[in-house]
Amino acid sequence: MLRHIVMFKLADTSKENIEYTLGMLRSMEGKIEGMLSLEAGANFLEADRNYDIALVCEFDSLESFQKYQTHPVHMPVRAHMHKVRTASVACDYYL
């Protein structure tokens, strides 16, 4: 198993944009083979080092994670995140 964590800083931090973006991320849940879980949440603390949204997914294997990268369900979400983010950081590790 492996965990995939991504944090995003958004250009538009309005409540509407954050809710829409969280909905986009959460729309992948249960639709990608090998993805065991998905969490997406918005930051609630004001600090310079904080990011606006976090995505945490678990996959059953490296192969499933690699397939996720180009999965048809993931591609429009990925395009949206590239459009709305100003920065992102990720960490992927085995459980």
Side-chain angles (χ1 to χ4, degrees):
M1 260 179 25
L2 67 92
R3 185 168 289 146
H4 171 61
I5 301 172
V6 186
M7 295 186 298
F8 303 94
K9 283 195 184 257
L10 304 180
D12 173 5
T13 58
S14 68
K15 182 178 177 181
E16 295 79 18
N17 188 54
I18 288 174
E19 288 302 317
Y20 181 81
T21 299
L22 288 172
M24 289 283 295
L25 292 168
R26 292 174 180 152
S27 73
M28 296 186 290
E29 189 170 19
K31 297 178 183 171
I32 299 175
E33 187 176 341
M35 180 187 282
L36 304 175
S37 67
L38 180 148
E39 284 182 34
N43 179 60
F44 63 90
L45 295 176
E46 293 294 326
D48 289 339
R49 71 181 192 146
N50 289 12
Y51 279 62
D52 301 307
I53 288 180
L55 172 69
V56 180
C57 302
E58 289 184 5
F59 294 87
D60 63 4
S61 66
L62 177 59
E63 181 181 37
S64 293
F65 175 66
Q66 290 169 331
K67 287 180 181 178
Y68 155 79
Q69 296 299 321
T70 57
H71 193 283
V73 169
H74 180 232
M75 296 311 291
V77 176
R78 185 177 184 162
H80 173 76
M81 297 313 298
H82 281 259
K83 181 179 173 184
V84 300
R85 73 176 189 200
T86 59
S88 64
V89 293
C91 183
D92 303 297
Y93 58 91
Y94 288 106
L95 299 172

